[in-house]
Amino acid sequence: MPFAGFDIPKIRSLGTSLKTLGDNAGKLHSDVSAVLTQAQSLMGGKPATTSRDLEPLVGNPFSFWPFGFNNLPGSLNGELGDMSDSMARRCSQLEKCNELLAKGYAIDPALAFADEKAPDEKKINDALDALAALDGKDFGDDGNRDDLDEVKDKLNGLTAAELDAFLAKAKPEDLRRYGDLARKTDDSGMWWWESHDGIPDSAFRDHLSGLLKKAGPSHWAKLEAAFPGIQPGFDTTDVWLDKQNSQRGQTVQGVQYGTPTDPLFAKPGQVDASSISQGQFADCWYIASLTATAQADPQFIAEGLKQNANGTVDVRIWDKDGNKHWVTVTPDLPMDSNGHLISAHGNAETWPAYYEKAFALMYGGDEGGAPDGRDGDKRYDHADFGNYGATEWDMTDKAPPYVTGENSKSIDNNVDSIKKSFDAHHPVIVASNSDSSNLPSDWQKNGAYVTRHVYYVKGFNANGDVILGNPWGGGSPDVVATREQYEKFFNTPQELQVKK
């Protein structure tokens, strides 16, 4: 059914009138300047206006583009012109969407009013044909990359409305075939110049992000079914296998995806390291790196997140080869049966969870790892990729490059070296030992020390003791360690290098 209730000819006429008014804004600007200048002269030099916007016009009729205007009414030229152009584009978009709807295409109502180029039916059908043409092609030693690149490029070139119409008509089996072939990157044929299969991981990751950023929520499940790399699983994590967090002993029931009610940021565009809580996944080494970086350079972390119009979130992250990506993730997050987040989170904000979700998709260095007593148990101790299980039980130097874009630097295992790095405004993380015997009494009482755990350096007290923050957050006590205590119970400090 076409979108009704909008008189497009009248809207176009209004846009034209706004354009005309904008074109005349320069003359109006000069006229107002002349009136104010004359008035000030007749008033014996007293100010003719108290408006900060109009003050620069006195004696200056040319204080607008191209001479650098910031004031009304000259600025109306650009503002009204932009508004007119936007109205014209939206009218064209709505007209074309109505045409496609009449032909049986499905388009999300929100996209029919988007400010983008009007949808092109031919582009939609060309993409559908290229997708269907993958069926039955010979993808042996001759490779399939050219055919897949053709589909990828056609999909990347679709507008949001075009992609919505495409996904509504695309057969699930055709999308799955495309996803399966794209992930088959075996270039081991007889001749290297002939055997180019699949789409390289880096390019396909960016492709999936581009699709997810534009797709309407009604199509996310269809994309996830065809391309598992869009949504990280959690069925290989400790909390899924044991129904509890092995270090904290907290029971976790009914792990599932759900949509949080908290916003991305508690304060728009701002992050607070003290707000971060690790949650129930065993990825302290990553959350400690994220927290340390947020403490040292909150703007850097805040700039790594963007919320899209369709509800998805873009996360800046670097891959294992040091290439920067903006990974798009859906807004749903792992929760327990009571609707509480089990992933990383903040205090009434969700931004840490989306960093963690993107990391789960991108981390490429997992070689296994398991909680105490589970080493060698293949249910826990095995390599993962593209899921939350991959993020559990790894070393302090593995996570920083994904957060900062640079490898971390190993520093001497003593408080003086750590303080030198910290005072130079570098994020610093350290690991605890696996032995908890002979702990200081205050650590035993408050439970601050956790074995096989990664902490971040919060600072130093007046005595020169190092203060180590627990990425568990949520009121978890800090470890305050003397030089001797630090060297006895901690190891492998890393200085993180934040890319500028």
Side-chain angles (χ1 to χ4, degrees), residues 148-225:
L148 295 173
D149 279 342
E150 180 184 0
V151 176
K152 173 173 65 70
D153 293 343
K154 287 184 182 299
L155 294 182
N156 286 346
L158 298 178
T159 65
E162 290 166 349
L163 179 63
D164 203 62
F166 166 86
L167 289 172
K169 286 205 168 189
K171 296 179 180 179
E173 59 268 27
D174 287 347
L175 286 171
R176 282 195 298 270
R177 182 187 305 110
Y178 173 48
D180 291 342
L181 291 170
R183 288 192 299 272
K184 183 184 176 184
T185 55
D186 180 12
D187 292 349
S188 58
M190 183 178 297
W191 306 108
W192 67 267
W193 60 85
E194 292 180 346
S195 181
H196 285 70
D197 297 327
I199 299 175
D201 287 343
S202 180
F204 196 57
R205 176 69 265 168
D206 292 343
H207 175 49
L208 294 183
S209 290
L211 296 180
L212 196 55
K213 183 185 299 189
K214 293 185 289 188
S218 63
H219 294 305
W220 293 347
K222 193 171 187 178
L223 287 173
E224 290 170 15

Side-chain angles (χ1 to χ4, degrees), residues 215-296:
S218 63
H219 294 305
W220 293 347
K222 193 171 187 178
L223 287 173
E224 290 170 15
F227 313 121
I230 280 180
Q231 186 84 309
F234 39 69
D235 58 358
T236 61
T237 62
D238 296 351
V239 294
W240 176 269
L241 295 170
D242 288 340
K243 304 297 186 293
Q244 70 171 7
N245 180 294
S246 61
Q247 285 186 314
R248 307 175 78 170
Q250 294 180 348
T251 300
V252 181
Q253 297 289 341
V255 180
Q256 59 191 315
Y257 268 109
T259 302
T261 55
D262 287 334
L264 186 63
F265 301 110
K267 296 180 179 179
Q270 297 182 37
V271 303
D272 178 7
S274 66
S275 170
I276 303 175
S277 295
Q278 178 184 329
Q280 303 298 339
F281 296 131
D283 59 354
C284 57
W285 55 292
Y286 173 72
I287 301 302
S289 299
L290 180 67
T291 307
T293 306
Q295 176 181 260

Side-chain angles (χ1 to χ4, degrees), residues 328-406:
T328 304
V329 295
T330 53
D332 49 343
L333 297 167
M335 297 180 171
D336 64 18
S337 57
N338 295 317
H340 299 140
L341 285 176
I342 68 164
S343 62
H345 54 276
N347 183 15
E349 57 185 354
T350 56
W351 65 265
Y354 295 112
Y355 262 105
E356 182 183 47
K357 189 174 183 179
F359 180 61
L361 288 173
M362 292 295 290
Y363 181 51
D366 185 37
E367 297 177 357
D372 290 334
R374 301 290 193 176
D375 290 343
D377 185 334
K378 292 303 180 183
R379 292 180 304 160
Y380 303 83
D381 194 359
H382 64 273
D384 279 307
F385 178 72
N387 56 49
Y388 284 99
T391 70
E392 297 192 311
W393 302 104
D394 222 322
M395 306 303 292
T396 53
D397 63 335
K398 294 291 188 68
Y402 291 84
V403 178
T404 68
E406 301 284 358

